[in-house]
Amino acid sequence: DAGVTQSPTHLIKTRGQQVTLRCSPKSGHDTVSWYQQALGQGPQFIFQYYEEEERQRGNFPDRFSGHQFPNYSSELNVNALLLGDSALYLCASSSGLAGSIGELFFGEGSRLTVL
Amino acid sequence: AQTVTQSQPEMSVQEAETVTLSCTYDTSENNYYLFWYKQPPSRQMILVIRQEAYKQQNATENRFSVNFQKAAKSFSLKISDSQLGDTAMYFCAFNDNTDKLIFGTGTRLQVFP
């Protein structure tokens, strides 16, 4: 049973560029959440997708956008990259609505470095 | 706004000993969930243990147990019989029935032989 898979694992971009990160949820899961984890910090919630729609959003600017596909996979897009966007981006999947709170399965993350 | 505080940036323990990691949180909600996650060097976050606020009984999972003090808004994790594989970052997290987890800044635990 494949867990949550993310790609790429590492990438380097320059300021002003755009980046797309991808996530495939655990088999049987239909909800995908994205978190940003800066070095030495805990993860911070970016947004969550369910039924191809953004259900909730954290305190992140509009430069951060996402998408969920019919097969439940998801993309995180960041435009106009800033040095401060350098972080580990974690994807987490879960199943359904209430009742699965916190039962998130995380991927290994995509390490983004902005130069 | 809800906040989660982990005041111990680093902890160390000898193999087979017991260690307790601290976590406090702030919320005005009455119904919520608390979690401890482990993040080993492989980076993959793994759920260690979960506590529902309406349950008075402290959660346990094998060598892992919590001390949940709702009035004090405290949620500590006790690891018994520590093993080398327990070496990792440990994050305390809070959820108030919304779709997001709020994490603390983490405690780096080193288990040495």
Side-chain angles (χ1 to χ4, degrees), chain A residues 9-10 33 35 37 40-43 45 48 55-56 88 90 99 101-104 106-109 111, chain B residues 33 35 37 39 42-47 50 89 91 95-106:
Chain A
T9 54
H10 296 84
S33 302
Y35 288 80
Q37 186 177 14
Q41 300 295 316
F45 177 77
Q48 183 182 82
R55 186 159 66 178
Q56 188 176 1
L88 180 66
L90 296 170
I101 292 171
E103 293 181 22
L104 299 180
F106 284 84
E108 294 189 358
R111 171 75 66 190
Chain B
Y33 299 79
F35 311 87
Y37 277 86
Q39 188 177 39
S42 69
R43 309 186 315 200
Q44 189 166 23
M45 199 82 74
I46 302 166
L47 178 64
R50 158 188 168 148
M89 284 290 292
F91 291 95
N95 179 282
D96 61 353
N97 289 313
T98 63
D99 298 314
K100 66 180 181 181
L101 287 177
I102 299 170
F103 287 86
T105 53

Side-chain angles (χ1 to χ4, degrees), chain B:
Chain B
Q2 290 89 352
T3 59
V4 176
T5 302
Q6 294 180 249
S7 59
Q8 306 156 314
E10 295 185 0
M11 295 281 285
S12 61
V13 63
Q14 192 166 21
E15 199 174 7
E17 297 296 309
T18 295
V19 64
T20 298
L21 308 183
S22 300
C23 172
T24 59
Y25 59 94
D26 187 26
T27 183
S28 57
E29 299 291 332
N30 191 47
N31 294 320
Y32 50 87
Y33 299 79
L34 294 162
F35 311 87
W36 280 97
Y37 277 86
K38 169 185 177 181
Q39 188 177 39
S42 69
R43 309 186 315 200
Q44 189 166 23
M45 199 82 74
I46 302 166
L47 178 64
V48 174
I49 198 164
R50 158 188 168 148
Q51 174 81 43
E52 291 88 345
Y54 64 86
K55 290 186 178 179
Q56 293 185 340
Q57 186 173 5
N58 289 325
T60 62
E61 287 288 342
N62 300 314
R63 299 183 294 108
F64 300 87
S65 61
V66 299
N67 182 6
F68 174 48
Q69 301 290 328
K70 190 172 184 179
K73 296 180 181 176
S74 170
F75 183 61
S76 61
L77 174 70
K78 185 171 81 172
I79 306 174
S80 305
D81 186 25
S82 296
Q83 300 176 359
L84 297 178
D86 294 334
T87 293
M89 284 290 292
Y90 286 82
F91 291 95
C92 178
F94 170 94
N95 179 282
D96 61 353
N97 289 313
T98 63
D99 298 314
K100 66 180 181 181
L101 287 177
I102 299 170
F103 287 86
T105 53
T107 296
R108 183 177 303 279
L109 176 66
Q110 178 70 50
V111 181
F112 56 92

Side-chain angles (χ1 to χ4, degrees), chain A residues 23-44:
Chain A
C23 172
S24 293
K26 179 179 169 62
S27 178
H29 285 182
D30 56 9
T31 303
V32 173
S33 302
W34 286 93
Y35 288 80
Q36 180 195 64
Q37 186 177 14
L39 195 62
Q41 300 295 316
Q44 287 196 311

